[in-house]
Every structure is written in structure tokens, then in C-alpha cells.
Amino acid sequence: MVTIYDIAAKAGVSAMTVSRVINNTGKISEKTRAKVKRVMEEMNYVPNQTARSLVLQQTKLLFLLITDITNPFYTTLARGAEDAAKKHGYRLLFGNSDESLEKEADYVTTILTTRVDGVLLAPAGDPSLPHLESLRKHNVPFVLLDREVPGMDCDIVLGDSKEGAKRLVEHLAEKGHRQIALVNGSSSISSARLRLQGYKEGLKLNELPFREEFVFETSFGQLGDLSDMTAWLERLDPMPTAILTGNNVLAVEAMRLLRAKGLRVPEDISIVCFDDLGPYSDVDPFLTVAAQQAYQFGYMGMGMLIDRIGERDGSSPWKKVVLPAELLVRRSVKDISSEEG
Amino acid sequence: MVTIYDIAAKAGVSAMTVSRVINNTGKISEKTRAKVKRVMEEMNYVPNQTARSLVLQQTKLLFLLITDITNPFYTTLARGAEDAAKKHGYRLLFGNSDESLEKEADYVTTILTTRVDGVLLAPAGDPSLPHLESLRKHNVPFVLLDREVPGMDCDIVLGDSKEGAKRLVEHLAEKGHRQIALVNGSSSISSARLRLQGYKEGLKLNELPFREEFVFETSFGQLGDLSDMTAWLERLDPMPTAILTGNNVLAVEAMRLLRAKGLRVPEDISIVCFDDLGPYSDVDPFLTVAAQQAYQFGYMGMGMLIDRIGERDGSSPWKKVVLPAELLVRRSVKDISSEEG
DNA sequence: TATTTTAAGGTTATCGGTAACATTATATTA
DNA sequence: TAATATAATGTTACCGATAACCTTAAAATA
């Protein structure tokens, strides 16, 4: 592969002169500059960022780590992050942790070794703490997305999970539902905990009892095997008339399960969830959801990250942004208020 | 930042010994190994992959460049690529070119300077040729996805676009549709050209005339502004009874447009498209599609890439895989065969 | 016992750049 | 004219790791 030394030799100058031409630093005569540039073109020279990073200890690369690349919430978020990064002249790399701590750890290693200038990430959960501490220890600026990690003070963009879940429950209650189940993500994830809390508050507000067995906890990611959830649902007595799921992926999984059991939505059972389905809700607006401003998560988070990177030394106080969720009423809830008492 | 020299000094050995412990090479006494490991733990040592890459001339990083990160076809593909990469001990970085040549060029630069070991990419279109030539020139192995680029011989994974489009048209014809419009991606993209061809063949097979004005060409990506497409649709006389779109995104855009015009699907107009909507089709199976094996695109493509990287020198012939598309009949097509002749 | 192996570890050069500090001419100023 | 500034370029050291070669002491063999 062509190096500055090859260029230097062919152009009859020193490597340092080539470096100066590349970086537009120092004083170079127009003649020399032209010659060096010509030789670089001729030889198809591409700077070796690896070598450069090693000596400069920085890149102009930013990293976005999300937990589910097939989830429209995160891909829309990614678009926002990308747009903001581009606006500030940064390049963006993506990683997908798949809600897995191990994969997250791998990416943290990649992040540290790739020497990116900053990281925007949705942590897998509370146990991500050591990963964040590692970033902090190595002076890699980062901004958290969607999930708080107890024990870590940092910049963060959150959705209003509690309020959103509460509103969904209230909506169901208004439609006459009194047996409302919750399918939620892992309680090691702050947003899942808040959604559970919002669910409880929503019940209380409508004088509905909270029942432990009506809550099913699983992963926010793709499930594959639905047998646990099926078993849970079959255990319930009475059957819920409505299910609230902690995110869009779980709504999809729940629908799949219900279909497999021959239950129709919303005729036999209603369903609502957190997070919209992205542009695909437009195809057939079916699912009633608490939609989050996914694009804004990415756009604002990236802005905060770049601000933080720009800071010379004095660290301004940590910023925390909470974005509200919007209730979008569609067709997945049946009004049963007239059916009984 | 802690380096092997810091570790070496504290452990009272040479840097080389530390390196040997890290990489499990050479002969090291158990005692020394234990001591070095302990010091590494104590000092929170993280190997500097940048330095390592520089000397080893390889990064163990692969790159996946897709054209639309919000498109479930590509995100599902990404999952497949990720799984295959992981299986072979590679790390994967993602980029999103957004169907834009400029962004693609940026990523090619990033790819070259980051010295990744190989690239899996869906090119933005025929004009991507120089980008591919650049990769080829710098000996970066790559595998193309979904789209051929005339003038470039290389490994590639394709869908059977022509056959898929033909089948969709035939399906519409079977349901009595005789006025079938096509909303397609740019003709500078090979898959769009093949889908147009399949559309024509489907028409011919059913003795339907091909009419230039029934084809609307736009971008495969998110449109935002629908005015051009609206104007096109309003010009048509007679109105089509069905629309075939070249991909899922365009189907969503078309649905959005139709809804804005107060047209119901499928009551007033039918719609079918290439590519499924990912897991979200399960929520409410609505759109009839020619589904591609998105996961396989990524998984097989990545396998081919890693094989190619593994090749010492002798280059085996270029491989071309064509994956069939499957017709999934759902509810977005109305049967109008009884309505007239 | 003398010689050869081997285990365990150290030294040096290098990957491709760039910062910091020379080194030249030539131009400017005293 | 001598002294000083400046433009243009070169030299050297280093970023953090590893390959290739070298050294030493203990173990195995002749």
C-alpha cells in the first residue's frame, strides 16, 4: 500500500513535506504542493488513518451504539443522529448490541481501540455500568439514550416512560378495560421499570387492582421462542381483555402469539404499546401506541455529544432531556365499556 | 492511557513479555503470566488496536454499508451479516449511505482510511462504479448486495427481481386488474431495471399493453415530498386499479399519498410491492408482497466476503448468488375479476 | 563432564504517520 | 555590509504494538 514515503520519494521531497501538503499545515511553496498533489493522485494515495490515529490520538469519527437495529425506534433515532453528526462534519459508525451485554462489551472494546471521538449509546441495561465506566475512564465522551444507568452521571436523552405508560392504561380504562396485562422488558432496564410504574399508577388512578401475575417480564428484543409467554398467558384467570407491551417489538411478538392461539385483535383482545412502528404504521394504521420522538432522540443526543466533545476542559453540568410520548389512537383497542357494568 | 510499557514496568518485565501474555504466544512461565495479568487488571489495561492494526496490517473489522437504515429489508439483512461476522470472529461496523452517492463516497473514504479487512455493500447505483474501483484498487475485498454495477466483476448476492416483479403482476392480473401502474426506484439501479423488466413481462404474459406513462420513477428512499408522485397519479387516465411499487418504502409512500387523496386500499385501489415490511407485517398482515430473504442476503454475503478475505492469493472465480423472492398474498389486493369482462 | 536443547525472556526494528526541533537559503533590516 | 528574520524544507523521535532475532540459564543428552 502506498505511504507518504512512497509519495515523498517519487516527488523528491521529505515525508514531512507530504504530510504538510495533506494536512494543509506549515509553509509549502505552490510548486512543491502541486507536485506532491500530482504524485498523490498518480499513486492513488489514501492516508492511513490507523497510523494517524496512533500519533494524534483522535479520529473525527463518532459511534452510535443501539440495541436493536431492526427496531424502527432505533433506526429512526439513527437517522436523527446521522443528520446531526453530518451537520457538524463528523462521520458516524454504527453498532448493534442486540440487547446483549456481551456484544455491548465487544463494541466498547471496538470503540476504545478505534479511538472514536465520542459515543452515543443506548445501554443494554443497568449492568452496562462497567462499560460506561470504562468509557469514562478512558476519557471517551458519551451520551446515553433512552435508558438511565444507576450510578452513572452523564448527559442523557430520555422518553417520558412513566407518563406514556400511564396514558396508555388510562386509554384502555376509558374503553372499559379492567383486566389489563403488561408484557414488559427486563427490569434491569430503567425505561422498563418506569413503564411498570406508569402502568401501576394508571391502574390506581382507575381504581383497578395491581396483580403481580398480570405482568410478564422478558427481553425488549426479538424473542424467537414464544413458549414462555404463551404459558404465562394460559395461566391467567380471568384472561386479560387488553395487553400493554413495553415496546413495539413486544407488541409484535404478542400479536404473533395471539394469532397463533386463534385470538383476533381487537375483537377478542385489545393491544397497545410503547413506541410506534416507524413509517410502516402509515401502511395500515392499526396499533394504538405511545409514540416517542425517535428522530429527536438521535438528533438531540448527537448535538449534546458534539457539544461535550467541543468542551475544552471545564465540564459543564450533565444535561438531561426528557421527551414526551404522544398517544396515537388507532384500531387495536376495542371499546367494551357498554358490555358490562 | 495505559500501554504495555506501563504494564511491563510495573510487572518488572519487558513489553514483549506483556505482548506475549496478551496474545498467548511464545513461552511464558506461569508465574510471570499471572503477575502480568494481575498488573493488567490493576491498571485497567485495554490493548490499543490502532497500534496493533498498524503493525499487523489488519483490523479484524468488517464494514457493512447499506442504503437505508430505516428499511427493514436492510436492517434484517444487517442482522444476518452481523451473525455471520460474529461466527467468524470479526467485528462489524455499519454505515448508511441513504441512497446518496456523496454519502457513499464519504463512507468509502472512511473504509479506506480505517483499513477494514473487507466490505459488504449495497451500492447506491450504477454511478457507484468509481467507488468500487477505488476499493478494488486498494485491495479491499468486497461483496455487493442487491444491486449489480455494470463494469464491475465481483462477488454478489442478488434477489430475483425480474421474476418477483413478474409474479406480482401476474397475481394482480389474476385478480382482474388490467390497469397496473409501477412506482419504481431509479433506473440507474440494476434491481429497479430488472423489476421494470419483470413488470413488462408480466403485462405481456397477460396480454396487457405496456404504457410508458403508467411508470413513475423516483428514489427507493424516503421521499418526504409527495407532490411529484401526486401530480403523476392525477395525470393518469384511466386511473390504475392497482399499483406495484419497486420496494417497500415506495409502497409506504404510495399508501400515504392515496390516503391523502381519500382513496382506500384495497377498496378503491390495490397495491403490491417488492420486499416485505419486516417483522411488522406480523402485526397486521396487510400488504401483499414479493418478500426477499433479507437475512440470507446478509448472512450469505458475509460468508462470501469472509471466504474471499481468507483466500491467500489465487482468486477463485467471482461468485454470484441469486435468491428467489416469495409471493405473500395478504389483503391489499381487491379481486375485481367479476366486476367487468 | 562437555555439549546440545530448550524454556523463558529481552532487544531492536518497524508499521505510517506527525510534532518539535533543526537547517538552509533568501529577503529584510539595522 | 553584517545581523536578523522568514520561507521552505529536512531530521529525529515517538505514538503502541509485534515480528524477528538474540541472550541466558537450566535441563537433557552424548
Side-chain angles (χ1 to χ4, degrees):
Chain A
M1 197 151 291
V2 182
T3 73
I4 51 169
Y5 295 96
D6 302 319
I7 306 294
K10 194 152 178 187
V13 297
S14 73
M16 201 54 222
T17 298
V18 177
S19 174
R20 288 188 180 111
V21 170
I22 293 168
N23 297 290
N24 245 307
T25 53
K27 298 172 194 298
I28 302 286
S29 72
E30 267 320 307
K31 200 177 127 199
T32 306
R33 181 187 306 278
K35 181 163 58 178
V36 169
K37 282 199 168 174
R38 190 164 46 70
V39 174
M40 287 199 302
E41 291 265 322
E42 276 172 28
M43 303 186 77
N44 286 300
Y45 172 74
V46 176
N48 185 327
Q49 183 62 43
T50 304
R52 196 183 258 163
S53 302
L54 186 56
V55 60
L56 292 183
Q57 308 274 19
Q58 67 138 345
T59 55
K60 269 289 170 184
L61 279 176
L62 264 25
F63 203 99
L64 171 63
L65 183 56
I66 58 183
T67 63
D68 185 357
I69 196 177
T70 60
N71 184 330
F73 170 70
Y74 285 114
T75 56
T76 306
L77 180 158
R79 262 295 174 73
E82 209 179 5
D83 288 351
K86 179 147 202 230
K87 213 179 74 176
H88 292 89
Y90 279 92
R91 296 222 172 87
L92 186 59
L93 297 175
F94 299 93
N96 173 215
S97 72
D98 207 17
E99 302 281 1
S100 139
L101 274 175
E102 293 74 46
K103 289 192 188 177
E104 185 174 277
D106 275 359
Y107 275 113
V108 167
T109 303
T110 301
I111 284 163
L112 291 175
T113 62
T114 308
R115 294 290 190 274
V116 297
D117 296 342
V119 183
L120 194 56
L121 82 163
D126 294 358
S128 296
L129 183 60
H131 299 159
L132 303 182
E133 283 170 339
S134 184
L135 292 177
R136 177 66 51 82
K137 186 154 34 202
H138 294 282
N139 289 314
V140 181
F142 63 88
V143 172
L144 250 42
L145 296 171
D146 190 54
R147 302 166 178 189
E148 272 180 309
V149 172
M152 177 54 65
D153 283 323
C154 57
D155 292 323
I156 188 165
V157 182
L158 292 168
D160 195 344
S161 287
K162 189 157 75 172
E163 185 64 22
K166 198 170 75 182
R167 292 263 291 281
L168 285 168
V169 171
E170 287 195 273
H171 173 70
L172 289 171
E174 278 166 20
K175 297 295 180 185
H177 293 272
R178 311 190 63 75
Q179 309 293 341
I180 302 170
L182 171 66
V183 173
N184 205 6
S186 163
S187 60
S188 73
I189 296 175
S190 72
S191 54
R193 287 193 296 270
L194 287 170
R195 286 166 200 182
L196 171 62
Q197 232 177 293
Y199 164 78
K200 285 182 181 173
E201 288 188 13
L203 292 179
K204 182 169 288 178
L205 242 52
N206 290 279
E207 290 167 359
L208 297 172
F210 168 70
R211 293 198 289 154
E212 199 70 63
E213 68 273 22
F214 260 50
V215 176
F216 182 71
E217 182 181 322
T218 178
S219 159
F220 270 143
Q222 228 77 41
L223 266 37
D225 181 14
L226 293 170
S227 54
D228 284 355
M229 196 157 124
T230 307
W232 163 74
L233 195 63
E234 285 171 353
R235 258 200 321 272
L236 296 186
D237 182 32
M239 268 284 279
T241 60
I243 296 178
L244 157 60
T245 72
N247 78 347
N248 49 7
V249 171
L250 289 176
V252 173
E253 300 295 52
M255 300 267 319
R256 206 189 312 252
L257 184 161
L258 295 174
R259 180 160 298 115
K261 287 179 62 72
L263 292 168
R264 293 160 305 159
V265 177
E267 292 81 357
D268 301 322
I269 190 163
S270 295
I271 190 160
V272 298
C273 75
F274 223 94
D275 295 331
D276 204 353
L277 300 184
Y280 304 94
S281 278
D282 292 335
V283 172
D284 183 30
F286 177 77
L287 208 58
T288 292
V289 302
Q292 298 206 84
Q293 303 174 44
Y295 185 92
Q296 279 303 314
F297 268 74
Y299 196 86
M300 294 191 63
M302 187 53 83
M304 284 160 65
L305 176 61
I306 291 173
D307 284 353
R308 189 60 75 181
I309 292 169
E311 274 182 6
R312 283 282 59 207
D313 33 34
S315 60
S316 60
W318 302 119
K319 283 195 258 319
K320 174 174 172 173
V321 172
V322 179
L323 298 170
E326 185 189 4
L327 183 68
L328 299 180
V329 177
R330 298 200 278 234
R331 308 194 325 258
S332 63
V333 175
K334 184 180 177 189
D335 188 336
I336 60 172
S337 52
S338 54
E339 289 187 13
E340 51 184 320
Chain B
M1 195 152 286
V2 182
T3 73
I4 52 169
Y5 296 96
D6 302 320
I7 305 295
K10 194 153 179 185
V13 297
S14 73
M16 199 57 221
T17 298
V18 178
S19 174
R20 287 188 180 111
V21 170
I22 293 168
N23 297 290
N24 246 307
T25 53
K27 297 171 194 299
I28 302 286
S29 73
E30 267 320 307
K31 200 177 130 202
T32 306
R33 180 187 307 279
K35 182 163 54 177
V36 169
K37 283 199 167 173
R38 189 163 46 71
V39 175
M40 289 200 298
E41 292 264 323
E42 275 171 29
M43 302 186 78
N44 286 300
Y45 172 73
V46 177
N48 185 327
Q49 181 64 40
T50 303
R52 195 183 260 162
S53 301
L54 186 58
V55 60
L56 294 181
Q57 304 278 31
Q58 63 139 323
T59 55
K60 274 285 173 184
L61 278 177
L62 264 24
F63 203 99
L64 172 63
L65 183 55
I66 57 184
T67 63
D68 185 357
I69 196 178
T70 61
N71 183 331
F73 170 70
Y74 285 114
T75 55
T76 305
L77 180 157
R79 260 297 173 71
E82 208 180 6
D83 288 351
K86 179 148 201 232
K87 213 178 75 177
H88 293 89
Y90 280 92
R91 296 221 170 88
L92 186 58
L93 297 176
F94 299 94
N96 173 214
S97 72
D98 206 18
E99 302 281 0
S100 140
L101 275 175
E102 292 74 47
K103 289 194 187 175
E104 185 174 277
D106 275 359
Y107 274 114
V108 168
T109 304
T110 302
I111 284 164
L112 291 176
T113 62
T114 307
R115 294 291 192 272
V116 298
D117 294 342
V119 183
L120 194 56
L121 81 163
D126 295 356
S128 295
L129 183 60
H131 299 161
L132 303 182
E133 284 170 339
S134 184
L135 292 176
R136 177 64 51 81
K137 184 154 38 202
H138 290 98
N139 289 313
V140 182
F142 63 88
V143 173
L144 251 42
L145 296 171
D146 191 51
R147 302 166 178 188
E148 272 180 308
V149 172
M152 177 54 65
D153 283 323
C154 58
D155 292 323
I156 187 164
V157 182
L158 293 168
D160 196 343
S161 287
K162 188 156 76 171
E163 185 64 22
K166 197 171 76 181
R167 292 264 289 281
L168 286 169
V169 171
E170 287 195 274
H171 174 71
L172 290 171
E174 277 166 22
K175 297 295 179 185
H177 293 272
R178 311 191 62 77
Q179 309 294 341
I180 303 171
L182 170 67
V183 172
N184 205 5
S186 163
S187 60
S188 73
I189 297 174
S190 72
S191 55
R193 287 193 296 271
L194 287 169
R195 285 166 202 182
L196 171 61
Q197 233 177 292
Y199 164 77
K200 286 181 180 173
E201 289 189 12
L203 291 179
K204 182 169 286 178
L205 242 53
N206 290 278
E207 291 167 358
L208 298 172
F210 168 70
R211 293 197 290 153
E212 199 71 61
E213 69 273 21
F214 261 50
V215 176
F216 182 72
E217 183 182 320
T218 179
S219 159
F220 270 144
Q222 228 79 42
L223 266 37
D225 180 16
L226 293 171
S227 53
D228 285 356
M229 196 157 125
T230 308
W232 163 74
L233 195 63
E234 285 170 354
R235 261 201 318 272
L236 296 186
D237 181 35
M239 270 284 280
T241 60
I243 297 178
L244 157 60
T245 72
N247 80 346
N248 49 7
V249 172
L250 290 177
V252 173
E253 300 296 51
M255 300 270 317
R256 207 190 311 250
L257 185 160
L258 296 174
R259 180 160 298 114
K261 287 179 61 72
L263 292 168
R264 294 160 306 160
V265 178
E267 292 81 357
D268 302 321
I269 190 164
S270 295
I271 191 160
V272 298
C273 74
F274 223 94
D275 296 330
D276 205 353
L277 300 185
Y280 304 93
S281 279
D282 293 335
V283 172
D284 183 28
F286 177 76
L287 209 57
T288 292
V289 302
Q292 298 207 84
Q293 302 175 44
Y295 185 91
Q296 279 303 314
F297 268 73
Y299 195 87
M300 293 190 64
M302 186 54 83
M304 284 160 67
L305 177 60
I306 291 172
D307 285 353
R308 189 59 75 180
I309 292 168
E311 273 183 7
R312 283 283 61 208
D313 33 33
S315 60
S316 59
W318 302 118
K319 282 194 260 315
K320 174 173 174 174
V321 172
V322 178
L323 299 170
E326 185 189 4
L327 183 69
L328 300 179
V329 176
R330 299 201 276 235
R331 308 192 327 258
S332 63
V333 174
K334 184 180 176 191
D335 189 336
I336 60 171
S337 53
S338 54
E339 288 186 15
E340 49 183 321

